[in-house]
Amino acid sequence: MLQNIAHQWRQPLGSLMMIIQSFQTKMELGKLSFDFVEQKVDDALLLSQNMSNTLDDFQNFFSPNKDKTNFKIKDCVEHSIQLSKYLLVKENIKLNLVVVDDLEIYGFYNELSHVLLNIISNSKDALKIKEENKLIKIVIKKFKGKARINIYDNGGGIEEDVIPQVFEPYYTTKYKSAGTGVGLYMSKQIIEKHMQGIIKCKNVFNKMDNINLEYGALFIIDIPFEKK
Ligand SMILES: Nc1ncnc2c1ncn2[C@@H]1O[C@H](COP(=O)(O)OP(=O)(O)OP(=O)(O)O)[C@@H](O)[C@H]1O
Ligand SMILES: [Mg+2]
């Protein structure tokens, strides 16, 4: 539980540090405006509220009595993109969201958001070596009677011998300080144990920005429409 919380706190903590530093930088330049303060305070409150929710999310992680709700996948994805904003801007990554079908599911909104944050964060790491045109694309559509979320990046893909192990606990190809191998294991637990879905990955060539066909990882999440 503690490991999950620590894992999900690292990104927003980094973003909060960037926001705090941005106040100092703007002030030194004499450009600290009302609008800037208002925007950054909003962002910081959203991030800290999310960190607070994360404590509850993982405290209740194994509790069977927690409540599922009906929600639009698009809202959950947009919320997760908003929470990833600072790390995406910092790494110069463009993120495209394509809503083919505006689907509603019955499940755990916050938990799905943790999964999306993990996958976006992994793409960010894979894109580190790329110099330009760093892209992530998320597509929401109906597929074979289920809600499907595809998350592509153009970071060069997952090593072929690594693919069968990515969802195992503590499996990481990153340096100890950078990765613990918890992210995708936690994501699989959430999708398959808590939401009766399926998560898988492969490498594909994909038209990322309508011009270039580029190689990268694709994570596929299928969630049933179960309703109560
Ligand atoms: N988008 C991706 N592109 C390339 N490789 C990936 C991608 N996503 C995951 N991987 C591979 O899968 C491994 C496992 O991912 P996972 O998120 O579980 O752990 P981690 O990112 O290494 O560490 P942690 O998430 O705990 O910080 C990664 O170390 C990496 O080798
Ligand atoms: Mg990870």
Side-chain angles (χ1 to χ4, degrees), residues 7 118 121-122 125 174 183-184:
H7 189 269
N118 285 339
S121 161
N122 283 344
D125 290 340
K174 295 166 195 170
L184 288 178

Side-chain angles (χ1 to χ4, degrees), residues 7-200:
H7 189 269
Q8 299 312 92
W9 267 30
R10 209 176 297 155
Q11 299 291 356
L13 200 55
S15 299
L16 282 175
M17 282 155 73
M18 284 169 66
I19 291 175
I20 292 165
Q21 280 162 353
S22 74
F23 283 113
Q24 193 176 29
T25 312
K26 283 280 175 189
M27 199 172 67
E28 281 167 5
L29 294 169
K31 288 184 176 169
L32 195 62
S33 69
F34 182 80
D35 284 351
F36 181 86
V37 173
E38 208 165 39
Q39 173 66 51
K40 295 292 156 177
V41 167
D42 277 355
D43 288 348
L45 287 175
L46 185 81
L47 287 161
S48 45
Q49 180 60 53
N50 176 256
M51 290 174 78
S52 166
N53 290 345
T54 297
L55 289 179
D56 299 337
D57 297 341
F58 289 103
Q59 255 152 20
N60 301 326
F61 198 57
F62 301 104
S63 137
N65 317 325
K66 57 185 177 179
D67 287 330
K68 287 186 172 183
T69 56
N70 285 306
F71 64 89
K72 283 193 169 187
I73 295 182
K74 177 171 162 261
D75 294 342
C76 184
V77 173
E78 280 175 346
H79 175 69
S80 311
I81 294 172
Q82 180 66 22
L83 289 169
S84 306
K85 191 171 83 177
Y86 282 86
L87 80 95
L88 295 174
V89 170
K90 179 166 169 258
E91 303 288 336
N92 203 13
I93 298 169
K94 203 171 105 187
L95 195 153
N96 282 342
L97 169 60
V98 182
V99 183
V100 178
D101 301 302
D102 194 5
L103 305 170
E104 193 176 280
I105 55 167
Y106 182 71
F108 300 115
Y109 181 100
N110 283 353
E111 293 199 3
L112 181 60
S113 175
H114 286 297
V115 173
L116 295 164
L117 292 170
N118 285 339
I119 296 175
I120 292 171
S121 161
N122 283 344
S123 292
K124 181 245 339 173
D125 290 340
L127 288 163
K128 274 235 159 73
I129 43 152
K130 204 168 170 6
E131 306 230 310
E132 56 183 7
N133 205 23
K134 306 178 186 194
L135 297 167
I136 298 175
K137 185 167 92 181
I138 304 182
V139 182
I140 305 168
K141 63 181 176 188
K142 202 168 171 176
F143 185 78
K144 291 192 175 167
K146 291 190 175 162
R148 171 164 283 194
I149 310 171
N150 282 338
I151 303 122
Y152 302 86
D153 64 53
N154 61 352
I158 312 165
E159 300 286 339
E160 287 301 328
D161 57 331
V162 163
I163 289 183
Q165 302 160 79
V166 291
F167 295 108
E168 282 173 20
Y170 308 115
Y171 181 82
T172 180
T173 58
K174 295 166 195 170
Y175 290 109
K176 272 276 170 282
S177 57
T180 51
V182 173
L184 288 178
Y185 172 68
M186 177 207 305
S187 303
K188 195 177 170 78
Q189 299 283 109
I190 290 172
I191 297 297
E192 303 199 346
K193 297 251 161 63
H194 294 185
M195 292 171 79
Q196 288 71 49
I198 289 172
I199 181 168
K200 55 194 173 186

